[in-house]
């Protein structure tokens, strides 16, 4: 039996078209097999494909990269909330409540802007697994691991951060990693970061909201 899905594509974390981080948002009224959701995500071939379904007064939300399902996605959540408000499935003064594998998440709208509420990850200083730093080609100032398993690696300068050219074939054998540095004196940014997740089917993510569950507390 064919299942009807409303399908949207959203550029999240952007103030102009064709920028930010792209997400597909699929809204349906019935459950899809996990294998079908993964196939849809493979076909859309975007960094994330979201599947949203109404559940009581809230919604279920699942996120798939082209190769795996993940437990938490910032830009996918923002994109899903945007569609629910834009298509008037929620009124502007209503809170969006999402049941996800990463826990209960919420979104609110204020004057056309959407705000998402995400968890705070704890961090532990570690010694990196052998080969991870060399796969990134960096000199490590500090290495940490977040409570969700991802690595947070601090480098000294913005120029070093921007120059990273990872060996993705080697990097795919490790958990996802965010490399970060403090913003330079006089910069408009407090800190900068790049996120790599070839083990999850995304070599480099344009903007990674879930990494900021660790980066924001760290900085």
């Amino acid at each position: 039996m064919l299942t009807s899905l409303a399908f949207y594509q959203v550029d999240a974390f952007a103030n102009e078209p064709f920028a930010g981080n792209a997400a597909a948002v699929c809204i349906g009224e019935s459950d899809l097999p996990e294998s079908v959701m993964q196939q849809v995500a493979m076909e859309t071939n975007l960094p994330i494909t979201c599947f949203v379904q109404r559940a009581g007064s809230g919604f279920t939300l699942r996120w798939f990269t082209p190769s795996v399902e993940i437990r938490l996605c910032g830009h996918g959540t923002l994109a899903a909330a945007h569609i629910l408000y834009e298509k008037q499935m929620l009124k502007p003064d209503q809170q969006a409540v999402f049941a996800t594998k990463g826990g209960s998440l919420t979104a609110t709208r204020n004057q056309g802007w959407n705000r998402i509420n995400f968890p705070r990850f704890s961090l532990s200083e570690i010694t990196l697994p052998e080969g991870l730093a060399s796969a990134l080609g960096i000199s490590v100032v500090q290495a940490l691991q977040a409570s969700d398993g991802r690595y947070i690696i601090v480098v000294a300068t913005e120029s070093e951060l921007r120059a990273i050219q990872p060996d993705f074939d080697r990097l795919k054998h490790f958990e996802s990693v965010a490399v970060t540095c403090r913003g330079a004196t006089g910069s408009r940014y407090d800190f900068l970061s790049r996120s790599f997740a070839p083990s999850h089917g995304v070599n480099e993510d344009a903007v990674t909201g879930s990494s900021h569950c660790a980066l924001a507390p760290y900085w």
Side-chain angles (χ1 to χ4, degrees):
M1 180 181 296
L2 293 176
T3 300
S4 177
L5 284 174
F7 179 93
Y8 307 92
Q9 184 168 329
V10 179
D11 290 329
F13 296 128
N15 57 8
E16 60 184 1
F18 311 113
N21 203 358
V25 180
C26 302
I27 301 178
E29 296 182 357
S30 59
D31 290 329
L32 287 174
E34 188 172 303
S35 60
V36 173
M37 289 189 278
Q38 187 63 73
Q39 287 174 314
V40 171
M42 187 183 305
E43 181 143 315
T44 65
N45 200 33
L46 294 173
I48 210 72
T49 300
C50 315
F51 293 88
V52 183
Q53 185 178 335
R54 190 175 288 279
S57 60
F59 301 86
T60 60
L61 175 59
R62 296 175 71 174
W63 309 278
F64 289 78
T65 75
S67 60
V68 297
E69 183 176 12
I70 61 174
R71 291 181 56 83
L72 190 66
C73 178
H75 88 278
T77 304
L78 192 64
H82 174 75
I83 292 300
L84 293 177
Y85 288 118
E86 288 292 308
K87 299 304 175 182
Q88 300 180 351
M89 298 179 68
L90 286 173
K91 295 179 182 178
D93 61 349
Q94 286 183 295
Q95 184 183 63
V97 180
F98 298 109
T100 81
K101 291 191 173 183
S104 180
L105 305 174
T106 61
T108 55
R109 171 163 281 203
N110 183 25
Q111 297 182 344
W113 291 90
N114 300 320
R115 180 190 296 269
I116 55 176
N117 186 24
F118 260 45
R120 172 181 177 141
F121 294 156
S122 59
L123 289 162
S124 302
E125 193 160 6
I126 61 165
T127 299
L128 288 176
E130 185 177 354
L132 178 52
S134 61
L136 289 162
I138 57 173
S139 298
V140 177
V141 172
Q142 188 178 19
L144 308 103
Q145 191 163 29
S147 50
D148 74 328
R150 80 185 66 212
Y151 298 107
I152 305 295
I153 302 176
V154 182
V155 294
T157 65
E158 180 178 339
S159 60
E160 184 175 2
L161 178 71
R162 293 185 181 278
I164 295 172
Q165 295 184 356
D167 183 332
F168 291 117
D169 285 337
R170 294 172 59 195
L171 201 58
K172 69 182 179 183
H173 299 293
F174 300 97
E175 184 52 83
S176 59
V177 54
V179 185
T180 185
C181 69
R182 184 184 298 277
T185 302
S187 169
R188 60 181 293 195
Y189 303 111
D190 295 312
F191 65 89
L192 299 91
S193 67
R194 294 174 65 184
S195 289
F196 307 102
S199 62
H200 293 171
V202 180
N203 281 348
E204 181 169 4
D205 202 28
V207 187
T208 308
S210 57
S211 287
H212 286 73
C213 296
L215 291 170
Y218 174 82
W219 287 112

